[in-house]
Amino acid sequence: MSGNSQFAYYLHLALRSFKRNRVLTALMVLAIALGIGASMTTLTVFHVLSGDPIPNKSERLFYVQLDAADLHGFKPGEEPEDQLTRFDAEALLREGRAERQALMSGGNVVVTPSDGQSSKISEARYTSEGFFDLFDTPFQYGRGWTRAEDEGHARVAVISRELNQTLFGGADSVGRTVRVENVDLRIVGVLGDWRPVPRFYDLNLSRYGEPEELFVPFWTARDIGLEHSGNRNCWADSGGDQLSSTAPCAWVQYWAQMDPAQAGAYRDYLGAYSEQQRKAGRFQRPPNPRLRDVMQHLEHNKVVPNDVRLQVWLAFGFLLVCLINTVGLLLAKCLRRSAEIGVRRALGASRRDIFLQFLVEAGTLGVAGAVLGLGLALLGLWAVRQNPAQYAQLAQLDGTMLLTTFALSIGASVLAGLLPAWRACQVTPAIQLKSQ
Amino acid sequence: MDIRPILSTLRRHKTAAALIVLEIALACAIVCNAVYLISQRLERMDRPTGVAEERLLRIQTVSPGKNRNDSARVQEDVQSLRGVPGVISVASASQIPLGGSSSNSGVRMSADQKDNSFNASVYLGSEDLIETMGLRLIAGRDFLPSEYQNMEAIEVSFDEGRIPVAVVNRRFAERLFPGATPATALGKQFYSWGNNPITVIGVVEELLRPNDYGNGQYSMIFPVRPHWSWSNYLIATEPGRRAEVLKAAVAELQRTRPGRVVLKENTFAEVREEYYRQDRAMAWLLSGVILALLIVTALGIVGLASFWVQQRTKQIGVRRALGATRGQILRYFQTENFLLTTIGIALGMALAFAINLGLMKLYELPRLPAWYLPVGALCLWLLGQLAVYGPARRAAMVPPALATRSA
């Protein structure tokens, strides 16, 4: 026999052997399926949460940190403040040394519809004109605002598709107004579907939440006194207004886009800026800037929740136990068939033939385990989505994870089959025939 | 029972025996750590907040417009809530335990100290806050009416609007003044907001932070009426009237200022439920894994033991024919399982500590308490004995006559 027909024959033998040991086979398939189901559920959640939120340019977007704090608790080389002071963010933006850049921060505002609907709280982002190009946000209608509008503190806004749906029933609302905290802002753009996962551009706020519903020019937001939310760290008396341009408070995020090859030069520029600020008496610490691209920034901030990492480990531990279990049961099954193996060997089957036969049998178990495991993983993901955590809604199986499921299951079961198959092909035909 | 024949038999089934040992070791290591993680979660969820949870309600509102909810307007709301039937007392507070985001400030021992000694959560509250929250004063007194001031007065500059007095929680008092009892901490001074000393006038038994930010649960209360738009109205009522009072209070707030957004309206029980949701979900998940792991392990033992019994049917028959009782056969397989489980447990303990080391790094957990090991061992012995009982009984049923037949 050769090639395909041989494989078909082994498959036939495997199925016949399953039929003879229904309970044992069911146990093995169930063990593999449980292990695979658990691992794939947790791995899918991990895969979704640790993904690249902006794959086409994540290595060209950089998050900027400067060491602006005073000398309290200073330890050389320590990680600087997570965010910039408004003063530094505005200075970097003015100098504009990167291809593109934007400063930003978040807040919550009251949005009042015009037609007597009750007011609602919306998450807002206060940012500069570069935001939309920087992050390639899609627009359903209109566009972002201009630099001139930034500089003129224009009363404009970009709203999300959802807010547009709520306020205007999804119609093109460019040119209409949205009432924010008793101030009318003219809508210049409506975003299309945009949901970076994780919400990398501001890790202070809900990391896996939806993007904000309202985008307002940073200085306009300050003019009309919109509240700030998110982390704000002050190291000295701010003289009342912690959001003022001179307050010693870090609360502004700053992103810059550049060719990765330029990052070194930009880092030097940040160092020179720090030194200059130190000479001017604003900075007290030696220059200690940080420049991280998107994935480094996510990694540094340990964005994937520890619970999720733990669940992956736990599930793979469980899979390992299930596999050891399967090895044991397969071994029992193989050795029980020593007599049959002896006959086949006596009739001319080589060790290799026997080995392959049992591997095919194990692989078949793996396929069955994968199908059942996939069902369990879908069930598991459904259960995860019932979970209160922010990220739960994102737990969906994709093509990559579907393929991974089958690869993992078949790989694992073949691995589990190696030892029993090896033991099976060690059976000596003579002894078995004699004992018959 | 003679163990030697068992050992010599096992030596001829090294692979299968090793598999059982390995499975038990892994199960032991994972289960010990999973149980430990569950206990940590439960312990966390069990922390007292310090407030009288069963009678406390919280309403959080936001009104549009600049200068909204200044202290005077917040006080108007507090005043009108006092009139709602069933309300025992009312206060406004900048934050509540388990409320989520928190406001914190460094604490220093002297005005010119450079580094903060530690970091504490800042509760700003209007009159009656301590009474409304139901905090237990263990030393000193509540604030006097003359000590309260509006947030606006302080916002101008910390140095102008000074905070002369504070009530702190017990851990704060003990941390700030080592060796101090709550009573001796009274009258001592510390620095936090601005450069003026703040005198401790009262110590409460407990007041948890709104979240798990920072190390240590240090809290302080300043007699400052908050004016922030996200101010919380806290209401104390009788436990049996919570739902009714909450509804009436929300209606009252909407009546006095139409157009405001009621952001949150909960009983404190709901606040607690929401804060610990993730912990609860994780505890259930871990319980599920433990159960599945034990079942799979037990099934593995059943499967391999059945196979052994089947393989040794003839040998068993011979032993029975030579006079071994059913009980002896049963005990043979049970002892065999006990030996394998014991080796598995020994390996599992070592592995459990190795996993614990990893968890200590990931979760900053303390070391696995030693008493988990004997308890874990006992459970696995029991599991092994239960799993092997079925196959062993089948072995004991083998008739002696089988010895005379060929297999």
Side-chain angles (χ1 to χ4, degrees), chain B residues 71 125 145-151 153-154 161-164 223-226:
Chain B
S71 299
S146 60
E147 286 166 338
Y148 287 92
Q149 50 187 324
N150 290 340
M151 184 63 192
I154 294 158
R162 45 196 293 180
I163 295 161
V224 174
R225 302 186 195 97

Side-chain angles (χ1 to χ4, degrees), chain A residues 27 72-73 108 110 121 181-182 227 239-240 306-307 310-311 314 318 324-325 328 332 336 387-389 419 423, chain B residues 15 37 41 64-65 68 114-115 155 229-230 263 277-278 281-282 286 293 296 300 304 307 310 359 362-363:
Chain A
L27 271 184
H72 285 192
N108 288 282
V110 178
I121 299 287
E181 302 282 356
N182 296 342
E227 295 265 358
N306 273 346
D307 275 2
L310 180 71
Q311 285 161 9
L314 204 60
F318 180 58
I324 292 175
N325 198 342
R336 202 185 290 176
N387 202 23
L419 178 74
R423 288 295 293 270
Chain B
T15 322
L37 284 173
R41 300 277 166 151
R68 65 202 178 219
K114 283 286 175 212
D115 302 343
E155 257 188 338
S229 57
W230 298 57
L263 211 59
R277 245 187 211 172
Q278 190 60 33
M282 194 67 188
L286 288 167
L293 205 58
V296 167
L304 271 184
F307 161 68
Q310 203 180 22
L359 285 176
L362 185 68
Y363 274 101

